[in-house]
Amino acid sequence: MNILGIDTSCDETAAAVVMDGKKIHSNIISSQINLHQKYGGVVPELASRKHVESINYIVDQAMTEADIAFENLGAIAVTNRPGLIGALLVGVAAAKSLAYAYELPLLGINHIEGHIYANFMVHECLPFPHVCLTVSGGHTLLVEVRAGWSYKILGGTLDDAAGEAYDKVAQYLGLGFPGGPIIDEFANKGNPAAIAFPRPMLDSDNYHFSFSGIKTAVRYFAEKSKASGTLPPIQDVAASFQAAVVDVLVQKTICAAKETNAKGITLTGGVAANSQLRQSMSEAATELGVKVYFPPSNLCTDNGAMIAGVAYHQYQEGLRDGFELNASASGSIL
Ligand code: KG4
Ligand code: ZN
């Protein structure tokens, strides 16, 4: 069965056609990076307006590339939670219109569940239970994933998401937007031990995170050292910041994997594309005797394929939504 999956939860207008929850016929992603770049972060109202402009073209492109007529789809799936409310509403309205016009079943999907599912699309036989770290611009969440699509939330961020910290730090250092890939590149040429930035909540006896302290520490450090003319090479600042973030993410995930007797670890979300995070997590997991799985970059960041994938399984379980389906800025996967 082919499902059209739509995601407009943040700053990507995305649509994909996926067969039986796995085979990706098309996966079109239109990024709004250029629009938000000068503000150093996503401006919600601008994001919504851009989604309105793009959605029909992106859906058309996804259908054309998949070479499938709307009449031959089995369902329409759309991210309806959590995310930027105005942005979500555009995708939900588009999905409802298509489902109504072509008399297709409609399914509203949780964006985080989509990110968790991304690894299932590319890895055969992921072991259960496993621990999934979802790290993006909007979320930092540690979840135990059990057989039968059941989840237990182990912890999450108490303030900023990891990706948000990357984006803000890049802004303080004048490096551009989105900060993650830029800092990743600078960090690879710098010394991670140059500056000892804090590792908040590393010693706490829970699986929660806090990134706003690291972000502020980099900001004060940059301001002070610039004023005194002692700013070290930007590569060293980037590497030291990245080391602090990665240390916390890796250590907490490994502890969670140990405590839950996880058979594997999955990484997902935009920050899961980070080279240091992938490397450090893989090394630590090898020591623990488990494997780390991550999706390719185009399935790490926001996309419609992961939404169509989750929808396929929910459809099999008999889940459907009516035209009263609404968007919600918040929403737990449980
Ligand atoms: O999953 P995503 O596309 O959107 C949200 O749901 O938020 O994630 C975007 C986030 C941005 O904060 C971006 O800076 C970060 O992912 N990101 C990275 C890397 N590539 C993207 N962070 C660290 N290293 C990267 N290589
Ligand atoms: Zn996302």
Side-chain angles (χ1 to χ4, degrees):
M1 181 176 78
N2 287 302
I3 296 184
L4 170 68
I6 295 174
D7 187 288
T8 60
S9 58
C10 191
D11 61 339
E12 264 106 20
T13 314
V17 177
V18 176
M19 189 174 78
D20 296 343
K22 277 220 157 171
K23 176 143 186 36
I24 300 173
H25 287 306
S26 62
N27 189 18
I28 310 296
I29 302 166
S30 168
S31 168
Q32 301 180 356
I33 283 176
N34 295 342
L35 183 67
H36 302 287
Q37 213 149 28
K38 64 173 173 241
Y39 305 103
V42 178
V43 182
E45 187 51 31
L46 293 183
S48 320
R49 290 184 206 178
K50 192 69 186 170
H51 285 309
V52 173
E53 277 174 31
S54 310
I55 188 73
N56 287 346
Y57 297 103
I58 297 305
V59 167
D60 256 8
Q61 217 178 319
M63 296 300 289
T64 305
E65 200 169 290
D67 197 20
I68 286 166
F70 280 104
E71 290 81 358
N72 295 331
L73 288 172
I76 307 268
V78 62
T79 298
N80 76 318
R81 65 196 190 281
L84 301 172
I85 189 68
L88 286 166
L89 280 167
V90 178
V92 169
K96 285 206 261 189
S97 313
L98 290 168
Y100 181 75
Y102 293 99
E103 298 182 17
L104 290 165
L106 172 72
L107 289 98
I109 303 296
N110 185 300
H111 183 75
I112 305 291
E113 203 168 355
H115 275 306
I116 294 173
Y117 186 80
N119 273 298
F120 287 90
M121 304 194 78
V122 284
H123 302 292
E124 291 297 328
C125 311
L126 278 184
F128 291 108
H130 65 252
V131 165
C132 177
L133 175 68
T134 302
V135 261
S136 70
H139 314 279
T140 305
L141 197 66
L142 254 182
V143 177
E144 183 188 357
V145 184
R146 297 167 176 166
W149 313 103
S150 90
Y151 310 108
K152 182 179 174 202
I153 294 181
L154 302 171
T157 182
L158 302 178
D159 41 56
D160 294 349
E164 199 178 345
Y166 266 97
D167 294 338
K168 287 278 156 52
V169 162
Q171 193 184 4
Y172 302 151
L173 300 176
L175 299 179
F177 174 82
I182 305 171
I183 289 190
D184 196 1
E185 213 180 312
F186 274 96
N188 284 332
K189 297 175 199 128
N191 173 11
I195 308 136
F197 288 125
R199 270 86 169 142
M201 304 198 64
L202 199 55
D203 299 322
S204 65
D205 58 355
N206 56 47
Y207 297 118
H208 293 312
F209 301 91
S210 166
F211 293 105
S212 99
I214 306 182
K215 179 189 79 180
T216 310
V218 178
R219 179 181 198 162
Y220 287 155
F221 175 84
E223 281 173 3
K224 264 193 187 165
S225 50
K226 257 185 215 163
S228 60
T230 57
L231 185 69
I234 222 68
Q235 289 84 346
D236 287 354
V237 183
S240 302
F241 159 73
Q242 179 155 287
V245 173
V246 168
D247 260 7
V248 179
L249 291 173
V250 170
Q251 290 198 38
K252 293 241 171 192
T253 306
I254 294 292
C255 276
K258 259 189 210 157
E259 195 183 306
T260 59
N261 283 319
K263 307 272 187 300
I265 292 170
T266 60
L267 300 182
T268 188
V271 183
N274 186 267
S275 57
Q276 190 57 49
L277 177 62
R278 287 178 175 217
Q279 192 187 324
S280 300
M281 193 72 83
S282 299
E283 285 166 7
T286 304
E287 256 176 53
L288 187 65
V290 298
K291 205 175 153 192
V292 178
Y293 304 82
F294 25 74
S297 296
N298 68 336
L299 292 179
C300 273
T301 47
D302 291 350
N303 65 87
M306 64 188 193
I307 301 306
V310 173
Y312 175 72
H313 295 279
Q314 297 198 347
Y315 183 92
Q316 305 299 317
E317 288 167 19
L319 297 178
R320 309 281 187 277
D321 282 295
F323 290 115
E324 71 285 355
L325 179 72
N326 208 345
S328 163
S330 59
S332 166
I333 51 168
L334 299 178

